Amino acid sequence: MKRVRIAVLPVAGLGTRVLPVGKTTAKNLLNVVDRPILSYIVAEGRAAGIEHFVFIVGRGQSAIEDYFDYHPELEALLQAKGKTEILQDLQNELARPGEMSFVRQMQPLGLGHAVWCAREVVGDEPFAVMLPDMLMDAKVPALVQAMQAYDKVGGNLVVVEPCPQGQAHKYGIVALDGHEGRLNRMTGMVEKPPPGTEPSNLFISGRYILQPEIFEVLASQDRGAGGEIQLTDAMVRLMQTQAFHAYEYDGVTYDCGDKIGLLRANVAFALQRPDLAPAARNAITELLG
Ligand code: G1P
């Protein structure tokens, strides 16, 4: 079985759920505590053995590339002031040479289209897709868990989790061939099912491992839910010839593409930081009066 080395990160979304700030700031550069959401996603990918990240970016998102690059003026200033701790932190955030590619998605045609834009960079090998809006907090990073499950079954794998009551119409929902333990074979999936028609209570939560044949399917994929080219629809077609498993991961997901989700992530991650937790706790208690 070929090792999964590449992760595709679709970040070109217009950030309509986080306006007005999303107008000029790529939504995945919004901060959770003191670093952008993307910093956590890249750390999760690296923990899972990802060697190359393919960012699918839109217009006006060059700040993403800059974030992972040197900033010589800033670094010189910190050096001169002896601020070695923050300097080291910045150093850890840098891309390793050749670790990142940036592909422009010229029109926001949907997640399926975004993933298809990565085809020339990914080539003929299995790859991961990480939806950066979905910040996953887990003792064993979510993609590491997904890789361990993939090592058992191969094929295509979709990370899922229980869907909050009444929310299934916002997500991709999977259908399973029996539900036992965390890893189950899938029989179908549907993107944004009308309320009451969802085939299970498990939604696709933002990490995938896919075989390269998905690109051929995506090349001829029609528009689906919301008038967008949906990755879910292409996966349903690929399921006719390849196996798909759903893996229910162990952790908590924060949807940072949503204002309250981002706020929750900030509170949760601040409370986990030894250097910030006591002050964060005091501030929250005080605000709650
Ligand atoms: C996308 C996927 C969907 C998945 C969701 C998770 O939808 O198409 O299957 O459940 O991400 O956030 P979007 O959020 O782009 O509408």
Side-chain angles (χ1 to χ4, degrees):
M1 203 190 296
K2 265 196 195 166
R3 205 163 74 73
V4 179
R5 304 180 309 116
I6 302 177
V8 175
L9 279 61
V11 294
L14 288 175
T16 48
R17 288 191 293 157
V18 289
L19 286 173
V21 68
K23 183 179 172 189
T24 51
T25 303
K27 63 176 171 173
N28 301 129
L29 284 182
L30 294 177
N31 66 298
V32 169
V33 190
D34 54 4
R35 59 206 68 229
I37 298 160
L38 278 177
S39 161
Y40 298 90
I41 304 293
V42 166
E44 180 190 328
R46 284 176 178 163
I50 295 298
E51 293 167 3
H52 196 84
F53 295 89
V54 186
F55 291 83
I56 309 299
V57 293
R59 271 180 294 283
Q61 294 190 329
S62 56
I64 294 177
E65 214 163 332
D66 292 340
Y67 180 78
F68 293 103
D69 195 0
Y70 287 110
H71 188 321
E73 231 178 310
L74 180 61
E75 286 137 14
L77 182 80
L78 293 170
Q79 190 81 52
K81 294 194 166 188
K83 306 219 173 210
T84 47
E85 210 173 305
I86 183 70
L87 203 51
Q88 186 56 50
D89 198 359
L90 288 180
Q91 199 73 29
N92 293 339
E93 295 287 288
L94 293 174
R96 293 158 189 166
E99 188 192 23
M100 294 180 180
S101 298
F102 297 83
V103 175
R104 186 75 78 99
Q105 184 189 18
M106 294 160 69
Q107 289 176 289
L109 295 180
L111 178 59
H113 180 259
V115 171
W116 182 69
C117 287
R119 67 200 179 281
E120 297 295 342
V121 184
V122 173
D124 190 26
E125 53 180 290
F127 63 102
V129 175
M130 305 177 79
L131 304 188
D133 282 1
M134 303 303 257
L135 182 53
M136 295 181 170
D137 186 16
K139 274 201 199 89
V140 177
L143 194 63
V144 175
Q145 294 183 39
M147 295 283 199
Q148 288 166 352
Y150 174 76
D151 284 344
K152 290 187 193 139
V153 292
N156 300 271
L157 186 130
V158 176
V159 173
V160 297
E161 64 186 280
C163 191
Q165 190 76 30
Q167 303 293 303
H169 62 283
K170 295 184 181 167
Y171 298 106
I173 306 290
V174 300
L176 302 181
D177 179 21
H179 191 179
E180 205 187 308
R182 293 188 177 275
L183 185 58
N184 289 283
R185 191 162 174 138
M186 283 165 61
T187 54
M189 63 194 118
V190 52
E191 185 64 26
K192 303 190 175 46
T197 67
E198 56 274 10
S200 76
N201 77 329
L202 294 174
F203 79 96
I204 299 171
S205 56
R207 304 291 182 268
Y208 312 69
I209 296 172
L210 297 171
Q211 297 301 317
E213 288 76 21
I214 193 74
F215 292 125
E216 292 157 32
V217 180
L218 282 168
S220 65
Q221 187 59 50
D222 292 332
R223 290 171 189 249
E228 297 186 346
I229 298 172
Q230 295 289 355
L231 180 59
T232 303
D233 296 344
M235 292 193 295
V236 169
R237 287 169 64 208
L238 186 58
M239 203 184 272
Q240 291 169 8
T241 50
Q242 291 192 6
F244 274 76
H245 282 81
Y247 174 71
E248 205 175 327
Y249 95 109
D250 184 14
V252 178
T253 302
Y254 298 97
D255 181 356
C256 293
D258 170 79
K259 290 170 197 180
I260 299 298
L262 183 62
L263 179 65
R264 284 172 70 97
N266 267 288
V267 173
F269 279 71
L271 290 174
Q272 285 178 26
R273 282 269 298 262
D275 56 332
L276 296 174
R281 196 172 292 277
N282 285 344
I284 294 161
T285 312
E286 212 177 288
L287 284 169
L288 289 174

